[in-house]
Amino acid sequence: MKTKAWITDKRVVCGLSLLACLLWGSAYPAIKTGYSLFSIGPDDTAGKFLFAGYRFFAAGLFLIGFCAATGRKAFDIGAGLFGRLALLGVGMTTLQYIFFYIGLSHTTGVKGAIMNGTTTFFSVIAAHFVFKAERLTARVVAGCVIGFLGVIFVNFSRDLLDLHFTFTGEGFLVIAALVLAVSSIYGKVISQGMDSVVMTAWQLSIGGVLLIVLGYAMGGSLTGFTPASTALLCYMALLSSAAFAIMATLLKHNPVSLFSIFQFTVPIFGAALSAMFLGEKLLEWKNLVALVCVCAGIFLVTYVREPKKKS
């Protein structure tokens, strides 16, 4: 009970959610740098699958080692539970990234970031129908809409005015967002009966292995392993293991909307860290407007009015 009370404290939820989103935001410049270090071209889909596969498989191994070192029952899972974890890994890691990478290769980065932001909407809508305690309210909907406007602002450019839509481009990105949202709900269900960190470790490992197999089956290769590229890959694996473990733990004990609204900060952190490490522009009006919108959305979803004290 004490653990649950601690993990449901709004200040803790806010801090851990922002930490997870900061880690995911740091993946933006890390992925771009990784493509350069491993010589992965824009059209090398198989190479991207391998890059992602190694990253997530390593992330899973890191978490399995962590679980074993901290006394968690990392290997105490039966065939039935393993099947559910495998299904979670296929959805949350393998399928999501298949649709994401293919979709992103057929559209602009601007549209990609915006389409990916629909994950929050899918998550809160799905949670409304799955969990009785998580009902859509006008405040939650307003917070999601305002936060999504922030994602649009931070990615605003002339590309956004192009209304061209393709199924294998923007369509696949929406499917990726839907797959992630549904997988997150499924993960919340599974985590009610097991350690959320152990669950995350196995789903990352399984999903990563499948991406590696798919990448090699498509004729891909991953070369260019140097101390710098290996260190970058290890960092990306660690950020994935930490961020996904935080997400799974928070979703286990909190409403889906409470964590999902913070996902709108990922492109904000991504823009800031890209400016810091890649020299991209940061101090633009659209970034400031985006930050205000995202903060307002978070406030609407997380704010709870304190009951009036009786005099």
Side-chain angles (χ1 to χ4, degrees):
M1 294 297 293
K2 289 183 178 180
T3 300
K4 186 175 181 179
W6 172 80
I7 204 66
T8 57
D9 185 285
K10 289 295 178 63
R11 292 167 296 183
V12 174
V13 173
C14 181
L16 289 178
S17 297
L18 288 175
L19 174 59
C21 292
L22 173 63
L23 291 171
W24 275 318
S26 71
Y28 281 69
I31 289 174
K32 290 182 180 180
T33 303
Y35 287 166
S36 175
L37 292 176
F38 286 103
S39 300
I40 300 174
D43 298 324
D44 186 6
T45 303
K48 292 176 181 178
F49 286 167
L50 285 173
F51 184 40
Y54 276 109
R55 168 191 173 188
F56 294 122
F57 178 60
L61 292 183
F62 285 150
L63 275 182
I64 289 175
F66 172 78
C67 291
T70 54
R72 290 177 165 88
K73 298 179 180 179
F75 302 99
D76 186 18
I77 54 176
L81 180 56
F82 182 81
R84 293 194 292 273
L85 293 174
L87 181 59
L88 180 63
V90 169
M92 183 169 283
T93 300
T94 309
L95 278 181
Q96 183 213 161
Y97 279 91
I98 287 175
F99 282 114
F100 181 78
Y101 278 131
I102 294 177
L104 198 59
S105 66
H106 288 88
T107 188
T108 64
V110 171
K111 289 184 178 179
I114 292 172
M115 293 298 104
N116 198 43
T118 58
T119 300
T120 300
F121 293 110
F122 289 133
S123 296
V124 296
I125 292 172
H128 171 78
F129 292 102
V130 176
F131 304 108
K132 293 182 179 180
E134 300 193 27
R135 291 289 178 250
L136 284 175
T137 64
R139 181 164 52 83
V140 170
V141 172
C144 289
V145 171
I146 293 174
F148 187 62
L149 287 175
V151 177
I152 293 177
F153 275 119
V154 80
N155 291 283
F156 186 82
S157 71
R158 291 182 179 179
D159 291 335
L160 187 58
L161 302 178
D162 177 13
L163 300 180
H164 181 66
F165 182 95
T166 62
F167 178 69
T168 56
E170 293 82 0
F172 270 28
L173 289 172
V174 173
I175 293 175
L178 177 60
V179 169
L180 177 59
V182 173
S183 298
S184 298
I185 299 297
Y186 184 54
K188 180 179 175 70
V189 173
I190 295 177
S191 69
Q192 302 308 305
M194 68 176 302
D195 189 298
S196 56
V197 180
V198 174
M199 178 194 75
T200 303
W202 281 103
Q203 77 87 1
L204 284 172
S205 299
I206 295 169
V209 166
L210 292 176
L211 281 171
I212 293 172
V213 171
L214 180 61
Y216 281 120
M218 294 172 61
S221 63
L222 193 65
T223 59
F225 280 93
T226 64
S229 63
T230 302
L232 178 70
L233 187 59
C234 288
Y235 168 73
M236 294 185 66
L238 287 170
L239 81 84
S240 296
S241 59
F244 275 103
I246 290 172
M247 180 188 76
T249 303
L250 290 177
L251 285 179
K252 179 175 182 176
H253 299 289
N254 295 277
V256 173
S257 61
L258 193 59
F259 173 79
S260 296
I261 187 65
F262 286 93
Q263 291 180 309
F264 287 133
T265 64
V266 174
I268 304 295
F269 286 131
L273 293 171
S274 293
M276 185 182 302
F277 292 103
L278 302 177
E280 297 180 0
K281 292 183 179 179
L282 173 63
L283 297 177
E284 298 182 6
W285 68 269
K286 63 180 183 180
N287 294 330
L288 298 177
V289 173
L291 183 60
V292 171
C293 287
V294 170
C295 290
I298 291 173
F299 175 78
L300 285 173
V301 173
T302 59
Y303 175 72
V304 176
R305 182 177 297 175
E306 297 292 338
K308 294 182 179 180
K309 295 181 179 181
K310 294 181 180 181
S311 56

